[in-house]
Amino acid sequence: MTQKERLIYLIKYLIDENPNWEAVSIPDAETAQKRMLRSLMNVRSPKPVSQEFLSIQDAYLRKEQEAKGIVPLSSLSPVQPGIYLWQGDITRLAVDAIVNAANRAMLGCFIPCHGCIDNAIHSAAGVELRLECSRIMAMQKTEEPTGKAKITKAYNLPCHYVLHTVGPIIHGQVTKKDCELLSSCYRSCLELAAKHQLKSIAFCCISTGEFHFPGKKAAETAVQTVQHFLREKPDPLEVVFNVFKDDDYEIYRQLLE
């Protein structure tokens, strides 16, 4: 099966799942088809799916991942001992774990093709990630508290695990409690990584996007928390600060250099 054939199969499967979508037509342009597939995956509820779908989806997503390019940790240069700064798409990083800035439902973003990192990670990982998150939340029976973290497999991502954490949402001025909760996000992820004997972890800029935490203050909190943890922990853990925007890169560069 070609990549084009996989794409059409996946779209048709997801459309056929919903009787209300039987009149939906598949666009001719491949770019539009890819956007449609991502949208359908984004809005899909965590429900059973056929093994054939998973097999074809996984083959498709891994081929797409190869096309984007995988970035191994060995290709990066540390800016401090054990600490790296990298600008780019976090779903390309081949580290032990990447960190997802989740919401309290912890099921991923349901807005089609939304620009948040939660959407990007779930879209690249595949529908299995939402299914695993759903099982975790069903057992927990309550929304995920701010400042804690959960671990899942990474499925079709080049990393091995995804650490999901819910950052504080800022309304107005940043408070001391907000900073403590953000610090707790980083510390919870680091402790979870250490517990599972992971050797490398990549952090996104938690809470700075849709949750409106000011970038500079968030970066200061992140760097201080990570540096303190690495000083206190005897086991080596390599940490990547992953940024996407130029402004965030400059903030972290100044803090780390």
Side-chain angles (χ1 to χ4, degrees):
M1 186 178 278
T2 67
Q3 192 72 340
K4 176 76 171 178
E5 289 169 340
R6 293 187 187 108
L7 175 59
I8 298 301
Y9 169 90
L10 296 172
I11 291 173
K12 287 182 176 178
Y13 182 100
L14 295 174
I15 289 175
D16 290 345
E17 279 189 321
N18 193 326
N20 296 324
W21 294 345
E22 61 182 17
V24 172
S25 59
I26 301 174
D28 294 328
E30 186 175 0
T31 302
Q33 291 170 357
K34 288 184 176 183
R35 186 172 179 84
M36 173 178 269
L37 174 60
R38 178 168 176 170
S39 298
L40 292 168
M41 290 171 63
N42 293 160
V43 301
R44 186 181 190 273
S45 61
K47 57 187 177 183
V49 64
S50 75
Q51 193 56 51
E52 182 181 41
F53 175 90
L54 291 178
S55 177
I56 293 173
Q57 175 213 243
D58 294 352
Y60 175 81
L61 290 178
R62 286 172 186 174
K63 197 74 174 176
E64 290 296 292
Q65 189 73 55
E66 289 176 13
K68 283 197 299 184
I70 295 171
V71 180
L73 184 62
S74 59
S75 69
L76 308 183
S77 299
V79 291
Q80 289 184 9
I83 296 180
Y84 302 77
L85 175 61
W86 184 72
Q87 184 177 16
D89 179 356
I90 198 170
T91 67
R92 296 175 58 205
L93 283 172
V95 291
D96 281 352
I98 63 171
V99 173
N100 177 30
N103 56 53
R104 296 194 66 189
M106 219 187 74
L107 295 177
C109 172
F110 282 83
I111 303 172
C113 296
H114 192 248
C116 68
I117 195 164
D118 199 10
N119 189 296
I121 288 174
H122 275 264
S123 297
V127 300
E128 299 105 317
L129 181 56
R130 179 167 285 168
L131 290 167
E132 183 176 355
C133 287
S134 178
R135 291 192 294 269
I136 291 171
M137 298 309 287
M139 291 177 63
Q140 182 165 294
K141 297 179 180 178
T142 183
E143 289 187 326
E144 181 70 0
T146 302
K148 303 298 182 181
K150 292 287 191 297
I151 186 169
T152 65
K153 297 176 185 177
Y155 299 98
N156 296 295
L157 294 162
C159 57
H160 299 300
Y161 298 96
V162 179
L163 305 181
H164 307 261
T165 188
V166 181
I169 301 174
I170 302 304
H171 303 286
Q173 293 294 316
V174 177
T175 66
K176 181 182 178 182
K177 180 66 173 177
D178 292 328
C179 294
E180 290 171 351
L181 286 170
L182 183 60
S183 179
S184 180
C185 288
Y186 284 90
R187 190 167 56 253
S188 294
C189 289
L190 291 164
E191 290 171 351
L192 197 54
K195 177 182 177 182
H196 288 268
Q197 299 181 315
L198 306 185
K199 300 302 181 185
S200 57
I201 178 174
F203 283 102
C204 62
C205 299
I206 302 168
S207 276
T208 59
E210 298 295 315
F211 287 8
H212 307 298
F213 208 111
K216 189 171 188 297
K217 188 64 177 176
E220 290 170 350
T221 303
V223 169
Q224 290 168 7
T225 304
V226 168
Q227 288 177 333
H228 182 266
F229 183 89
L230 294 181
R231 284 196 301 267
E232 299 296 316
K233 269 289 181 186
D235 296 332
L237 179 63
E238 294 184 290
V239 176
V240 180
F241 287 112
N242 165 249
V243 299
F244 197 74
K245 299 176 181 177
D246 292 340
D247 289 348
D248 289 327
Y249 182 86
E250 189 59 26
I251 289 169
Y252 273 92
R253 187 191 65 78
Q254 292 180 10
L255 287 172
L256 292 168
E257 292 184 359

